[in-house]
Amino acid sequence: MANKIKDTDYLAISARVRAMETTLLTAERMERLLEARSDEEVSKLLQDCGYPELDAARPEAMDAALSQAREELLTDLGDGAPDPRYIDIFKLKYDYHNAKVLVKAEAMGIDAGRLLLDGGRVPASGLAENYQKEQLGGLSLRFQSAIREARETLAASHDPQLADLALDRACYEEMAQLARETGSGFLQGYVRLAVDVANLRAAVRVARMGKGSEFLSQVLLPGGSVSQRTLAAARGEELSALFQNGALAQAAELGAKAARPAGGSLTAFERECDNALTRYLGDARRVPFGVETVVAYLYAKEAELTAIRTILAGRRAGLDGAVIRERLRETYV
């Protein structure tokens, strides 16, 4: 940026965000959604949170409306933020999701259209069109190289997980690079914690699969607070010690139990990983104005959309409220 961005440059957008926070889905509002007696009541509750009228009888239309709400939010905050790179960090995952879809669809000879998501730095339709034409010049160099690597990996190994890993690694590298460029310690801490969460999840899953450190070292990501080598060498029950002094202490304890073949609840572990990220960003509520306010609200809103989808899908499936509740994460407010 030509001039250094100051926290005071975020006074106006921070004030807007504080007003928008009043409509976020609180724990109490989630309970009301779970206990609603009809789809009409659910729709009314969501309208009170700022969502358009949703028809629960048309799940595809409702999902499209929620996706549209997410895209509008990203655009709105991106347009209003003095430095759009803070928003780009959250847009990256949609670009990389779409790249995964395109690479695998090409290999299988199927249409990727319905699986693509808008909300990234590049419109999904534009990315798909340029991918087909092999015209990726408008993308970041790291994104371009990751797409090529994923395609080559899938063609050589026929293993979609290895292709996904190439794109995941690039995604987190781009997130870390953007965070460093902004100079925000808060944002760099968020990316580092996100890498730790991804690596801890990988360690637990690999342990449950009965695979060893050599396999784990291939799937771990760089940039976390615990080195890849240290994490790869740890046995499942040692995970809690590696994270005992940080934000993932409770998640790692649950992960150590879940890592056993017949161990603890994987659902509880996964939920606590997400809760750790929410709590980290929740500290931004004590900041009156600044980049933290915008970043934390964006994360909170995306987590809210996930919670709404979880509740609505559970209701459609006829699940008991207690079962759905186990899958929900802590709320930002």
Side-chain angles (χ1 to χ4, degrees):
M1 307 298 287
N3 298 309
K4 181 177 175 58
I5 303 295
K6 305 182 294 296
D7 284 349
T8 49
D9 293 322
Y10 281 81
L11 276 168
I13 193 171
S14 293
R16 280 189 59 219
V17 165
R18 291 305 186 206
M20 293 159 70
E21 284 180 352
T22 62
T23 63
L24 281 172
L25 196 62
T26 62
E28 179 184 357
R29 285 168 173 163
M30 281 204 293
E31 282 296 318
R32 291 169 64 190
L33 285 175
L34 287 169
E35 297 172 1
R37 293 185 295 272
S38 67
D39 291 339
E40 291 74 19
E41 185 177 349
V42 168
S43 181
K44 178 62 171 63
L45 289 168
L46 290 176
Q47 286 181 64
D48 291 343
C49 293
Y51 290 94
E53 184 175 356
L54 302 172
D55 184 358
R58 300 173 59 220
E60 289 188 4
M62 187 157 49
D63 189 66
L66 293 175
S67 296
Q68 180 66 24
R70 180 197 64 225
E71 186 179 358
E72 290 174 356
L73 172 68
L74 287 164
T75 300
D76 181 24
L77 293 182
D79 290 343
D83 187 342
R85 290 176 297 184
Y86 290 96
I87 312 302
D88 284 348
I89 283 182
F90 290 87
K91 290 183 174 184
L92 277 168
K93 61 185 176 184
Y94 299 110
D95 290 331
Y96 278 91
H97 163 84
N98 290 337
K100 290 179 183 180
V101 170
L102 290 167
V103 168
K104 284 181 277 193
E106 178 186 42
M108 297 172 66
I110 62 175
D111 180 29
R114 65 183 182 85
L115 298 175
L116 298 175
L117 298 175
D118 281 315
R121 297 167 299 177
V122 185
S125 59
L127 178 61
E129 181 179 351
N130 290 337
Y131 181 87
Q132 294 299 328
K133 296 178 179 178
E134 298 192 6
Q135 297 176 354
L136 303 178
L139 309 177
S140 71
L141 293 178
R142 188 65 186 96
F143 192 27
Q144 291 182 53
S145 66
I147 291 175
R148 287 193 294 269
E149 182 184 353
R151 293 175 77 178
E152 293 167 1
T153 298
L154 186 55
S157 68
H158 304 291
D159 188 340
Q161 288 186 324
L162 291 179
D164 283 354
L165 179 60
L167 289 162
D168 284 338
R169 186 174 288 112
C171 182
Y172 281 96
E173 286 177 7
E174 279 212 76
M175 288 172 63
Q177 179 63 32
L178 278 175
R180 286 193 296 270
E181 289 175 1
T182 66
S184 168
F186 176 78
L187 202 55
Q188 292 177 62
Y190 163 71
V191 174
R192 186 164 50 250
L193 180 58
V195 171
D196 281 336
V197 165
N199 284 343
L200 179 57
R201 282 175 163 154
V204 170
R205 289 169 182 159
V206 168
R208 286 173 69 96
M209 293 164 60
K211 296 191 176 182
S213 59
E214 184 176 347
F215 178 83
L216 177 58
S217 64
Q218 297 177 25
V219 301
L220 293 174
L221 302 169
S225 62
V226 177
S227 73
Q228 296 161 274
R229 178 179 297 181
T230 300
L231 195 51
R235 297 180 181 274
E237 61 271 16
E238 298 171 341
L239 291 174
S240 57
L242 295 180
F243 294 94
Q244 63 182 348
N245 297 319
L248 288 175
Q250 187 174 347
E253 185 175 343
L254 291 171
K257 295 176 182 177
R260 301 166 190 159
S265 168
L266 195 59
T267 299
F269 161 67
E270 294 277 1
R271 183 175 62 242
E272 182 53 32
C273 284
D274 289 334
N275 288 345
L277 285 166
T278 299
R279 286 193 289 269
Y280 175 86
L281 290 165
D283 288 343
R285 297 190 68 203
R286 296 195 293 267
V287 178
F289 54 85
V291 296
E292 297 90 345
T293 304
V294 179
V295 169
Y297 176 77
L298 177 53
Y299 177 88
K301 195 66 178 178
E302 291 203 315
E304 174 180 293
L305 290 166
T306 299
I308 291 171
R309 285 190 166 95
T310 300
I311 292 171
L312 296 181
R315 287 177 62 90
R316 284 198 301 270
L319 298 180
D320 183 78
V323 175
I324 303 174
R325 195 174 291 109
E326 288 179 354
R327 302 175 182 178
L328 296 174
R329 277 49 174 160
E330 290 180 6
T331 60
Y332 177 73
V333 292

